[in-house]
Amino acid sequence: MAEEGPPPSTQTLDPIAQRKHAAMLERISNHHQSRLHASAARRSASAASPSFDSVAAFLDRFSELRRSIESDLARCRGAAPAAAADICSAPAIKPELEKVSASISDLERLLAENSYFLPSYEVRSSLKAISDLKEALEVANSELLPRKKFSFRNKAPKKESATLVKEIDERKVPDEEKSNLAVVRDTPGFRNEKGAVLVKKFRASEEDEGDFTLANLESCKVYLKGRFRALFVHRLKDCNVFAGPVLGSILIEEASNCVFMLASHQIRIHQATVADFYLRVRSRPIIEDCSGVRFAPYRLFYEGIDEELRVSGLGVETENWANVDDFKWLRAVQSPNWCLIPEDERLGSVNISEVTEQDNDN
Amino acid sequence: MGLLSIIRKIKRKEKEMRILMVGLDNSGKTTIVLKINGEDTSVISPTLGFNIKTIKYQKYSLNVWDVGGQKTIRSYWRNYFEQTDGLVWVVDSSDVRRLDDCRAELHNLLKEERLSGASLLIFANKQDIQGALKPAEIAKVLNLDAMDKTRHWKIVGCSAYTGEGLLEGFDWLVQDIASRIYLLE
Ligand SMILES: Nc1nc2c(ncn2[C@@H]2O[C@H](COP(=O)(O)OP(=O)(O)OP(=O)(O)O)[C@@H](O)[C@H]2O)c(=O)[nH]1
Ligand SMILES: [Mg+2]
């Protein structure tokens, strides 16, 4: 199952597939055209969807709507004393609750439509606010609406889905045990090494296509020269990793006491403790379940790296190495889980020109 | 689908479909949405909450909800289940190590009653990466054959990077939804 010949690429497609592909590209560009028209039209009819000049203006509007929903909800609950949750009071309450539900949806939509320009903290806290409103509405629904009226409609589909769930469960259990991962093959990478120097040079022929994995390494020095497409890092302890430009994303899970020097379009760091990251990155780096991680700019050198960075879209310093978002930190103050590396503690520029694959001692 | 929900759907804005995009973090959801919409995909940060795009597709208007897949925010997915017509599950076909995780999250999602009527499109994304698993292999690892027989689903290999496969997937999804929702026209 493992070796099935080369993966499909645009060059090796048969003529029919090629024609389809060309048609698709055309449709995508048509899409783009009509989208431009649409957005021009939208601009001239700006009243249709409110856009905001500033984050503050958005936040004002958001909290205004939120307060009004909260008070509507409070009014519903006030109007129907708990004991009166019977059929008589329900007709009046139900449309009210439906109105609240619609307002919450509108609020959610407002946030979604503006989430591209809002700072991450504001998106996260607004998201939480909406989630709280929904919960409050659910509570109100279950307190205020008589169940009887509902049960008639709800029961039939519920029964059906209950058996449906059971069927899935029954089939899933044995499959989970034998775990279909048998089809899975090892992708290129360095794995299960201790105290080794590991060097990989990506050749021009493979640089645009390959992904690479570093897994279960302890006390290793890793050098990856050349361009490649994606990097997966899993379980590294006491390691130093220096890498050339990655065209796609880098995903790091479980690293402790390590130094990384990386350039990439996207960097995601999960479960790292005590690690230094020297980054050049086009988007905002993110951390989740991390502590003691620190950041500084990328300072790697070997022959040809400037050109490699340039053609990878990483030629320019975006300063994003310092714009870290912590998924586990919802407050406006600085997350305690990460910081910048003080300048006097930073590594100078690191020159790995001399390192070659002959240095591999694994 | 009950009669009531059919009526509700017809009363909705004309030709509107609600599409929910989910999947593990890093699978390429945001890249797919922007690519389909003909937008620049060169600077995309991991999604901290969610994004919504209204995309004109054929004669339909798709409301595409792209929800972040990082572990911390997966618990918010359930906020978006209501009235979902189409579910797009995106897989990073090169992230072999996390496929178990991916399968568990998918099957968890499929237990959700509010999604039981939704058409399911699975994108085996990142096919441009050498060593990525083929759609058939992904289908096997994710155990798709064990899904409820009434579910409408399809798996399509794609690359948000080259655009390959994206329209094939969305064409199927939109047709499948249309044939269910607008059948009373
Ligand atoms: N090579 C390659 N890389 C891809 C492809 N699709 C997405 N990527 C890269 O994968 C990374 C993750 O893409 P995103 O679109 O941010 O992923 P996401 O699913 O939205 O992630 P969350 O928002 O965290 O849930 C980015 O660096 C993309 O450039 C693809 O088809 N091929
Ligand atoms: Mg995203």
Side-chain angles (χ1 to χ4, degrees), chain A residues 69-87:
Chain A
I69 293 172
E70 278 167 352
S71 74
D72 285 351
L73 259 176
R75 204 160 31 73
C76 288
R77 300 176 81 161
D86 55 30
I87 312 241

Side-chain angles (χ1 to χ4, degrees), chain A residues 1-2 4-10 13 17 21 23-25 27-28 31-32 34-35 42 105 108-109 111-113 115-116 119-121 123-124 127-128 130-131 134-135 138 153-154 157-158 161 164-165 167-169 171-172 175-176 179-181 183-185 187-188 205-206 208-211 229-230 232-234 247 249-251 253-254 265-268 270-271 282-289 320 325-328 330, chain B residues 4 13 16 18 25-28 30-31 33-58 63 65-66 69-73 76 78-80 92 94-101 103-104 107-108 110-114 116 126-134 136-143 145-151 159 161-168 171:
Chain A
M1 178 114 232
E4 279 188 324
S9 72
T10 25
L13 287 178
H21 185 67
M24 182 218 43
L25 290 176
R27 289 168 66 188
I28 284 188
H31 248 301
H32 185 53
S34 56
R35 197 180 57 81
R42 235 180 287 124
S105 299
E108 185 164 54
R109 206 183 164 98
L111 171 61
E113 284 170 351
S115 65
Y116 281 106
S120 50
Y121 162 72
V123 174
R124 293 290 305 283
L127 187 65
K128 176 86 173 44
I130 288 173
S131 178
K134 285 189 171 178
E135 230 162 77
E138 255 170 53
R153 275 192 207 109
N154 272 356
K158 238 184 203 135
S161 84
L164 185 150
V165 167
E167 268 170 31
I168 291 176
D169 277 347
R171 274 179 231 164
K172 212 177 115 196
D175 274 305
E176 204 110 282
S179 183
N180 277 326
L181 282 175
V183 302
V184 164
R185 51 189 174 247
T187 49
S205 57
E206 57 188 356
D208 265 356
E209 3 197 85
D211 60 322
R229 201 160 263 203
F232 296 106
V233 176
H234 184 223
L247 271 162
S249 67
I250 298 178
L251 178 63
E253 288 200 339
E254 298 179 49
H265 280 218
Q266 225 184 50
I267 292 180
R268 301 160 181 261
H270 304 159
Q271 294 147 278
R282 277 180 78 108
S283 56
R284 300 169 68 95
I286 67 108
I287 62 173
E288 186 175 58
D289 301 312
N320 266 336
D325 281 324
D326 182 352
F327 271 70
K328 275 287 151 78
L330 253 179
Chain B
L4 206 71
K13 240 201 258 152
E16 212 179 60
R18 184 170 156 130
D25 49 296
N26 199 42
S27 54
T30 306
T31 314
V33 174
L34 295 184
K35 184 82 179 180
I36 280 269
N37 205 29
E39 290 180 61
D40 177 34
T41 57
S42 68
V43 184
I44 296 175
S45 291
T47 307
L48 282 143
F50 56 96
N51 302 306
I52 181 171
K53 284 268 170 215
T54 303
I55 300 177
K56 287 266 169 274
Y57 198 92
Q58 299 163 3
N63 282 322
W65 293 74
D66 160 26
Q70 289 282 147
K71 239 188 213 135
T72 315
I73 54 176
Y76 290 117
R78 52 189 290 277
N79 287 357
Y80 305 94
D92 177 348
S94 70
D95 189 357
V96 172
R97 191 179 63 79
R98 295 203 303 169
L99 281 177
D100 264 336
D101 230 8
R103 175 183 47 195
H107 284 276
N108 223 357
L110 295 179
K111 288 179 193 162
E112 181 58 48
E113 185 188 345
R114 286 173 292 170
S116 62
K126 307 204 188 181
Q127 289 297 320
D128 59 287
I129 294 185
Q130 194 156 23
L133 297 190
K134 304 283 172 303
E137 293 172 303
I138 296 284
K140 203 168 161 202
V141 177
L142 295 186
N143 205 9
D145 285 335
M147 261 185 306
D148 181 59
K149 294 291 175 260
T150 62
R151 168 86 60 190
S159 163
Y161 195 78
T162 64
E164 192 106 37
L166 296 184
L167 292 181
E168 184 194 340
D171 281 351

Side-chain angles (χ1 to χ4, degrees), chain A residues 167-214:
Chain A
E167 268 170 31
I168 291 176
D169 277 347
E170 276 164 9
R171 274 179 231 164
K172 212 177 115 196
V173 171
D175 274 305
E176 204 110 282
E177 279 166 20
K178 72 170 177 283
S179 183
N180 277 326
L181 282 175
V183 302
V184 164
R185 51 189 174 247
D186 264 358
T187 49
F190 294 132
R191 296 178 170 81
N192 310 316
E193 298 283 352
K194 204 169 168 178
V197 173
L198 305 165
V199 187
K200 164 82 185 167
K201 169 96 184 80
F202 293 91
R203 317 210 180 279
S205 57
E206 57 188 356
E207 68 187 8
D208 265 356
E209 3 197 85
D211 60 322
F212 203 78
T213 296
L214 305 175

Side-chain angles (χ1 to χ4, degrees), chain A residues 30-179:
Chain A
N30 287 344
H31 248 301
H32 185 53
Q33 282 309 319
S34 56
R35 197 180 57 81
L36 288 180
H37 290 306
S39 71
R42 235 180 287 124
R43 245 174 278 129
S44 54
S46 61
S49 119
S51 70
F52 297 89
D53 297 336
S54 70
V55 174
F58 168 83
L59 290 178
D60 283 351
R61 179 83 185 121
F62 185 89
S63 40
E64 187 188 315
L65 290 169
R66 176 186 172 185
R67 269 195 305 277
S68 117
I69 293 172
E70 278 167 352
S71 74
D72 285 351
L73 259 176
R75 204 160 31 73
C76 288
R77 300 176 81 161
D86 55 30
I87 312 241
C88 312
S89 68
I93 286 292
K94 202 169 170 224
E96 288 297 312
L97 287 173
E98 277 167 5
K99 235 176 69 199
V100 169
S101 169
S103 313
I104 295 177
S105 299
D106 290 346
L107 186 63
E108 185 164 54
R109 206 183 164 98
L110 183 78
L111 171 61
E113 284 170 351
N114 289 283
S115 65
Y116 281 106
F117 81 83
L118 287 172
S120 50
Y121 162 72
E122 313 299 354
V123 174
R124 293 290 305 283
S125 55
S126 306
L127 187 65
K128 176 86 173 44
I130 288 173
S131 178
D132 290 347
L133 285 175
K134 285 189 171 178
E135 230 162 77
L137 174 65
E138 255 170 53
V139 170
N141 268 330
S142 65
E143 278 176 12
L144 302 178
L145 294 179
R147 227 142 262 161
K148 243 193 176 143
K149 248 184 121 195
F150 267 54
S151 62
F152 170 62
R153 275 192 207 109
N154 272 356
K155 224 165 205 160
K158 238 184 203 135
K159 223 182 224 156
E160 200 180 288
S161 84
T163 55
L164 185 150
V165 167
K166 223 172 110 211
E167 268 170 31
I168 291 176
D169 277 347
E170 276 164 9
R171 274 179 231 164
K172 212 177 115 196
V173 171
D175 274 305
E176 204 110 282
E177 279 166 20
K178 72 170 177 283
S179 183

Side-chain angles (χ1 to χ4, degrees), chain B residues 162-182:
Chain B
T162 64
E164 192 106 37
L166 296 184
L167 292 181
E168 184 194 340
F170 271 87
D171 281 351
W172 174 82
L173 186 66
V174 167
Q175 286 320 315
D176 192 71
I177 295 170
S179 66
R180 285 187 300 110
I181 293 188
Y182 298 108

Side-chain angles (χ1 to χ4, degrees), chain B residues 1 9 18-20 80-88 109-110 112-121 147-148 150-154 172-173 176-177 180-181:
Chain B
M1 197 185 327
K9 286 194 166 156
R18 184 170 156 130
I19 313 281
L20 178 64
Y80 305 94
F81 293 163
E82 218 65 63
Q83 297 196 21
T84 293
D85 302 309
L87 187 65
V88 181
L109 200 68
L110 295 179
E112 181 58 48
E113 185 188 345
R114 286 173 292 170
L115 293 174
S116 62
S119 310
L120 171 65
L121 169 66
M147 261 185 306
D148 181 59
T150 62
R151 168 86 60 190
H152 292 205
W153 66 275
K154 185 179 172 75
W172 174 82
L173 186 66
D176 192 71
I177 295 170
R180 285 187 300 110
I181 293 188

